[in-house]
Amino acid sequence: MTNSGGPAVDFDVAVVGAGPAGSVAAYRLAKEGLSVVQVERGVTPGSKNLSGGVLYGRVLDDLLPGYANEAPVERKITRHVTMLMTKDSAVALDYSSRLLCDPVNAVTVLRAKFDPWLAAKAEEAGAFLMTGVRVDSLLTEPGPNGAPTVVGLRAGDDELRTRVVIAADGVNSFLARSVGLTTTPPMNQLAIGIKAVVGLPRRTIEDRFALSDDEGAAFAIVGDCTLGVGGGGFLYTNTESLSLGVVLRLDDLLRSGHGAAEVFDHLGQHPMLAPYLRDGEIREYGCHLIAEGGYAMVGQLAMNGMLVAGEAAGLTINSGLVVRGMDLAIGSGIAAADAAAEAIAKGDISKSGLAGYRRRLEDSFVLQDMRTYARAPQFFERPELYGAYGELAASILQSTYSLDGTPRKHLARVARQALKTSSVKSRRLLRDAVAGVRSL
Ligand SMILES: Cc1cc2nc3c(=O)[nH]c(=O)nc-3n(C[C@H](O)[C@H](O)[C@H](O)COP(=O)(O)OP(=O)(O)OC[C@H]3O[C@@H](n4cnc5c(N)ncnc54)[C@H](O)[C@@H]3O)c2cc1C
């Protein structure tokens, strides 16, 4: 325990949550020699967590060099497929490259294995991990100018006094809301994710997805797979399983009258995906909220004695091609730890003493990427993306590939013809194409 002149504390920093944001923050602080307690409500780290599972891990490699050789990672992604789906067709952009492996760009992880490994890194560095403990509330006291200061946390009958609390308690952070740093997000900024882990033999996965050794594939799917509901599907390869899931915007799901499980079942039975899943055995199934509001959702990140990191701060990006949350959580965990350490060393844990957090996020990829994709959530509110555009693309390719004895036409004429019979207006298509280029 350290006491740099202030009131006695149990720990310098309490980190709430043992997801990627919390464990990285705890690791970094412990390495700096601060006393850290990390509190996780799950019986083990990762037991409450659910993620599609593609980790864009360069930021983790900077912190823990060579992590991909040591951590329980499943496969190194060398193939990215983006698919527009209709009822009976799929139009895909398929990119494969060994270059994505060297250096390792993205890996698949199963959180039940990965989160305990990352939390153990923090423990090895000296953090004290408490699992199976839910933080019920924050301890606050009036601070300078009457503004409240967080001075610790309460879990059941226990109280822990700290200099700084880092709230890394995930989407819809109850802790950040309890002190007014964020409000309950509107439904168009939240999505529900449903995911199953489907077991298959290793060789079967490699043959079906055209992979060798530890290579992996990540499919991002839009269109009929969500029955027209705003969102998308994903199919990722693990070593001996596939992660299959849907992410559905809550407002659109409610409007549609479909149930989330119904949409998930539809995805799994879709004729374009079913061959990949054939004979698979469902090993896990779960659902979880995900922040979908992008930059507009990033609220206040600091107050006297507290910082908010990871998805608790709204840090996720869905660009259509990739879903990111874990790398942003890791980047923000590092920034929060460094800002907390700096403030404690200066003896100023007020909001302005902790202002280095925002500055670090602004200087790093975290807020710069959030800004780059700030318009993406509005772009994905276009209903045509989940129906008409896929139908149009499929109809153009159907006319191109189907040699039915009628004289051939150039592609541009085929496309014009398809547009005429589609519900899509060419002006609308052009406007959306420009918006897509600007947003993604
Ligand atoms: C279906 C789905 C698919 C996704 N796919 C991807 C993907 O492919 N790639 C990607 O990068 N991201 C993906 N994400 C997003 C990613 O999972 C999150 O952004 C990421 O996990 C956020 O990390 P975090 O550490 O901020 O929060 P979390 O991982 O949510 O961790 C928060 C932790 O805090 C704990 N906690 C909460 N409240 C309390 C409390 N009161 N007391 C104690 N502990 C508490 C929780 O149990 C949890 O362990 C996906 C999300 C979903 C739902």
Side-chain angles (χ1 to χ4, degrees):
M1 194 187 317
T2 56
N3 189 348
S4 50
V9 291
D10 299 304
F11 291 92
D12 289 318
V13 182
V15 178
V16 183
S23 290
V24 161
Y27 170 83
R28 185 87 164 183
L29 285 158
K31 279 274 178 197
E32 293 269 321
L34 282 94
S35 62
V36 188
V37 62
Q38 189 179 11
V39 189
E40 165 59 47
R41 66 181 172 174
V43 281
T44 54
S47 58
K48 292 262 180 195
N49 292 340
L50 183 142
S51 180
V54 175
L55 166 65
Y56 295 86
R58 297 276 186 98
V59 61
L60 188 56
D61 201 50
D62 289 343
L63 188 71
L64 299 167
Y67 86 95
N69 299 321
E70 191 201 327
V73 304
E74 299 289 313
R75 286 178 183 272
K76 297 170 182 151
I77 302 295
T78 52
R79 182 174 175 212
H80 286 273
V81 178
T82 306
M83 211 181 239
L84 261 181
M85 230 180 213
T86 70
K87 271 194 183 58
D88 39 28
S89 317
V91 178
L93 178 72
D94 191 336
Y95 172 68
S96 298
S97 175
R98 289 290 302 170
L99 294 176
L100 291 171
C101 237
D102 187 22
V104 178
N105 181 59
V107 295
T108 40
V109 295
L110 292 168
R111 298 286 298 269
K113 295 186 199 165
F114 182 74
D115 287 17
W117 174 83
L118 196 53
K121 286 281 158 201
E123 274 191 291
E124 280 163 29
F128 177 57
L129 174 66
M130 292 167 74
T131 53
V133 179
R134 182 183 186 278
V135 173
D136 295 318
S137 58
L138 295 165
L139 298 176
T140 58
E141 285 177 359
N145 309 325
T149 296
V150 175
V151 294
L153 43 85
R154 188 177 289 113
D157 294 335
D158 296 327
E159 287 187 359
L160 282 175
R161 292 189 76 88
T162 59
R163 295 184 203 295
V164 176
V165 169
I166 297 179
D169 52 338
V171 62
N172 220 0
S173 167
F174 147 74
L175 293 184
R177 260 189 294 142
S178 74
V179 286
L181 286 182
T182 55
T183 52
T184 307
M187 294 238 274
N188 67 344
Q189 293 191 346
L190 284 178
I192 180 142
I194 301 199
K195 174 189 161 184
V197 176
V198 181
L200 277 171
R202 182 182 185 132
R203 279 299 299 273
T204 306
I205 293 174
E206 287 160 7
D207 291 347
R208 284 185 191 171
F209 288 83
L211 305 167
S212 52
D213 305 327
D214 57 352
E215 291 178 352
F219 284 36
I221 310 153
V222 181
D224 178 73
C225 61
T226 55
L227 291 168
V229 177
F234 59 85
L235 180 64
Y236 303 148
T237 57
N238 304 312
T239 310
E240 292 190 316
S241 63
L242 304 176
S243 291
L244 172 77
V246 278
V247 174
L248 305 167
R249 234 180 45 228
L250 277 184
D251 60 333
D252 218 28
L253 181 65
L254 280 181
R255 244 193 322 262
S256 75
H258 292 299
E262 176 196 353
V263 180
F264 175 82
D265 290 346
H266 175 73
L267 171 81
Q269 289 157 12
H270 198 285
M272 295 298 123
L273 287 191
Y276 291 109
L277 300 161
R278 196 174 43 239
D279 299 330
E281 168 209 338
I282 294 195
R283 290 186 189 156
E284 285 172 37
Y285 181 84
C287 63
H288 202 278
L289 285 178
I290 178 168
E292 280 274 293
Y295 189 64
M297 209 170 163
V298 180
Q300 293 188 57
L301 300 169
M303 64 181 284
N304 296 337
M306 183 163 120
L307 297 171
V308 189
E311 205 168 340
L315 300 173
T316 55
I317 291 172
N318 182 352
S319 75
L321 301 183
V322 296
V323 176
R324 290 169 52 192
M326 290 186 279
D327 62 318
L328 299 162
I330 290 167
S332 68
I334 294 171
D338 291 353
E342 178 186 67
I344 290 168
K346 280 191 310 196
D348 179 6
I349 52 84
S350 69
K351 184 175 174 180
S352 66
L354 290 165
Y357 178 42
R358 178 127 206 159
R359 200 181 55 244
R360 284 177 169 83
L361 289 179
E362 298 276 3
D363 289 346
S364 77
F365 74 95
V366 177
L367 282 184
Q368 291 179 16
D369 287 3
M370 292 295 295
R371 274 217 186 80
T372 300
Y373 295 106
R375 291 181 179 153
Q378 284 85 349
F379 178 74
F380 286 115
E381 289 190 6
R382 289 164 166 77
E384 290 83 357
L385 289 171
Y386 311 105
Y389 288 155
E391 300 284 352
L392 178 64
S395 132
I396 294 169
L397 292 177
Q398 163 72 11
S399 306
T400 306
Y401 289 116
S402 167
L403 301 188
D404 56 3
T406 58
R408 297 290 81 199
K409 298 184 187 99
H410 286 300
L411 192 58
R413 253 188 96 189
V414 172
R416 268 204 305 276
Q417 192 69 38
L419 248 178
K420 264 192 206 151
T421 52
S422 151
S423 61
V424 176
K425 298 283 156 274
S426 44
R427 218 184 255 178
R428 172 86 202 212
L429 180 64
L430 196 67
R431 244 194 0 242
D432 287 353
V434 172
V437 169
R438 286 197 179 140
S439 311
L440 306 180

